[in-house]
Amino acid sequence: DDNNELAGTVYPTEAEAIVSQKRLILEYAKNQLRPQNMGGPYSKNLELWSAPGDSEMDVVQNKVSLVHMNGSSRDLREGFNVNDVGYNPEIYVGDEREKGGLRVVRDGEGKPVKPVFDIQ
């Protein structure tokens, strides 16, 4: 079955998948997601950070650190094919576009700056 075969010759790592989509993710953030916060003069300072899969609540509760995603498509291994990964962006509607979105504070190493807490 061709649907289960990779287009490339290597299995992409999570980091490679993210880095391969980095330009698309940053462009989406500054032009579509929240342009008032991430576009214009702010766009040159955007960084991309990763959290473990399915960890949104753990991130909010300061239970996990984030990992800075360095690099560009030049850093991808030979045999990597961008067709083996994809990007499914979060879409904000209505007030979410102006006020919404998950926002957390981390230090320069991606570690929480506030203590862990539980959500009641």
Side-chain angles (χ1 to χ4, degrees), residues 32-38 90-104:
Q32 298 294 320
L33 192 60
R34 284 199 319 263
Q36 73 279 9
N37 298 123
M38 299 184 202
E90 184 167 357
I91 298 172
Y92 291 160
V93 294
D95 285 347
E96 286 181 321
R97 185 131 191 198
E98 293 294 321
K99 302 173 186 167
L102 174 62
R103 300 169 194 205
V104 296

Side-chain angles (χ1 to χ4, degrees), residues 19-104:
V19 168
S20 74
Q21 302 292 316
K22 186 176 180 179
R23 180 56 38 217
L24 177 63
I25 294 167
L26 293 175
E27 289 295 322
Y28 180 77
K30 70 182 185 181
N31 293 311
Q32 298 294 320
L33 192 60
R34 284 199 319 263
Q36 73 279 9
N37 298 123
M38 299 184 202
Y42 307 107
S43 64
K44 67 179 185 256
N45 296 318
L46 289 179
E47 297 178 336
L48 189 57
W49 292 76
S50 172
D54 198 25
S55 67
E56 188 170 14
M57 289 306 295
D58 289 340
V59 170
V60 168
Q61 293 174 286
N62 297 321
K63 293 179 179 178
V64 298
S65 296
L66 305 179
V67 176
H68 190 240
M69 293 286 104
N70 290 310
S72 69
S73 58
R74 293 185 307 266
D75 303 315
L76 300 172
R77 290 178 294 160
E78 186 175 328
F80 176 87
N81 190 312
V82 73
N83 291 325
D84 293 330
V85 300
Y87 173 54
N88 185 14
E90 184 167 357
I91 298 172
Y92 291 160
V93 294
D95 285 347
E96 286 181 321
R97 185 131 191 198
E98 293 294 321
K99 302 173 186 167
L102 174 62
R103 300 169 194 205
V104 296

